DNA sequence: GGTGAAACGCGCTATTC
DNA sequence: GAATAGCGCGTTTCACC
């Protein structure tokens, strides 16, 4: 498995991966031109990266504001231990929840949500408070929303060969 | 602008949007079949949604672990007011930063990061600490990583017609 | 703003190296 | 594991509504 990854993730593999993260709809033929491979070769590599679980999907990115979601917020939730798993299930069901991460530390979950209005946020917080104490921070702006993952720099701590 | 959105975001528009969020690579012809439109009609709608800023891009999703990033974490950063903007620029430059949100409340920034190891995390925290006090929570699991945005339910607070 | 037909270009597969 | 060639299909453009 790790061997398979190493074979796929050579210089060209990373190039393909970065290009697909920037624009998931680029034709294989164009990818091939950019990385110096034929279209079928690129298609084959991409298929193998999908099979290996390296590429997990292709998503259209949408503008939340344009879709009527006026604001996003970060909600931290501290659940008592026995409610924590249940809280996870509930969070996964709420359509406002964009991400929900179970974390170490004082909080149980860190959640990013999108809401249409302050009133909507209030109702959502009321729902979430059923599972513990929450702390909400409104997002004012975002310096980074979705980074393209590129090849990790080699480190002395992870020697090769 | 809002009028343009309303025209684009009818029942069919939302269907297309949801399908593209699930799989950005579906052919227009298949989209057309699913929503009951011809391929050129779908292509035209998608182009207009892109122009209107509703669709902001198409991204391949990758598996961070498969790419050598063993863990993710949520770092909250409290910067003194005068360093806050500078911190934002710095966060945007760090390749480990997946998202960085400026927020209200006691913290200045909430940041999600991906690192290869605990040592890597330590170095990153050292970098970030130059801009204020930080609090790091390791992500143990994620109940939701990327929700498909669907049509907001109509509310009494936003009357139509 | 949508349809249907035609031209073009892309993706898929088989074959070869 | 990649290149090349042929075929089927998707995309694009256009006239028409």
């Amino acid at each position: 498995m790790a061997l398979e990854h190493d074979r796929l993730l050579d210089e060209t593999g990373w190039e393909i991966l970065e290009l697909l993260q920037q624009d998931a709809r680029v034709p294989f033929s164009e990818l091939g031109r950019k990385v110096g491979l034929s279209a079928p070769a690129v298609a084959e590599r991409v298929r193998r990266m999908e099979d290996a679980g390296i590429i997990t999907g292709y998503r259209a990115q949408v503008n939340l504001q344009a879709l009527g979601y006026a604001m996003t917020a970060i909600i931290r939730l501290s659940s008592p231990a026995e409610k924590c798993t249940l809280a996870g299930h509930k969070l996964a069901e709420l359509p406002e929840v964009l991400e929900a991460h179970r974390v170490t530390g004082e909080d149980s979950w860190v959640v990013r949500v999108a809401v249409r209005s302050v009133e909507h946020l209030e109702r959502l917080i009321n729902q979430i408070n059923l599972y513990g104490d929450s702390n909400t921070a409104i997002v004012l702006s975002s310096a980074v929303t979705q980074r393209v993952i590129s090849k990790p720099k080699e480190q002395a701590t992870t020697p090769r060969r």
Side-chain angles (χ1 to χ4, degrees), chain A:
Chain A
M1 185 71 168
L3 295 170
E4 174 72 2
H5 285 189
D6 283 354
R7 226 183 313 142
L8 285 171
L9 293 174
D10 57 2
E11 209 53 53
T12 305
W14 273 103
E15 272 186 72
I16 292 172
L17 217 44
E18 289 175 23
L19 290 167
L20 282 176
Q21 286 180 85
Q22 286 158 24
D23 181 3
R25 286 181 75 90
V26 281
F28 291 142
S29 54
E30 187 179 335
L31 276 178
R33 260 172 257 135
K34 288 185 176 168
V35 306
L37 241 55
S38 69
V42 173
E44 176 63 13
R45 271 176 177 264
V46 170
R47 196 191 58 73
R48 292 208 312 271
M49 287 199 268
E50 289 168 358
D51 290 349
I54 295 174
I55 296 176
T56 55
Y58 305 91
R59 306 287 182 85
Q61 295 302 306
V62 298
N63 179 341
L64 289 167
Q65 295 203 20
L67 294 180
Y69 293 90
M71 51 202 287
T72 61
I74 310 283
I75 303 180
R76 294 186 284 131
L77 174 65
S78 296
S79 291
E82 72 274 13
K83 279 190 181 174
C84 193
T85 307
L86 187 62
H89 293 312
K90 177 64 177 182
L91 290 171
E93 282 172 14
L94 292 171
E96 293 90 350
V97 170
L98 304 175
E99 311 170 39
H101 306 283
R102 173 96 164 86
V103 293
T104 62
E106 290 176 31
D107 301 314
S108 312
W109 294 91
V110 175
V111 184
R112 191 164 69 95
V113 302
V115 290
R116 293 185 299 280
S117 62
V118 178
E119 292 75 24
H120 185 189
L121 179 60
E122 182 175 3
R123 288 194 299 273
L124 181 61
I125 291 173
N126 287 341
Q127 289 288 308
I128 290 178
N129 280 345
L130 299 174
Y131 299 89
D133 296 330
S134 72
N135 177 308
T136 300
I138 304 292
V139 173
L140 300 172
S141 65
S142 298
V144 185
T145 53
Q146 218 162 37
R147 169 88 70 210
V148 169
I149 308 302
S150 47
K151 179 170 181 157
K153 301 282 173 297
E154 297 300 341
Q155 289 294 132
T157 51
T158 58
R160 296 271 162 170
R161 203 176 331 256

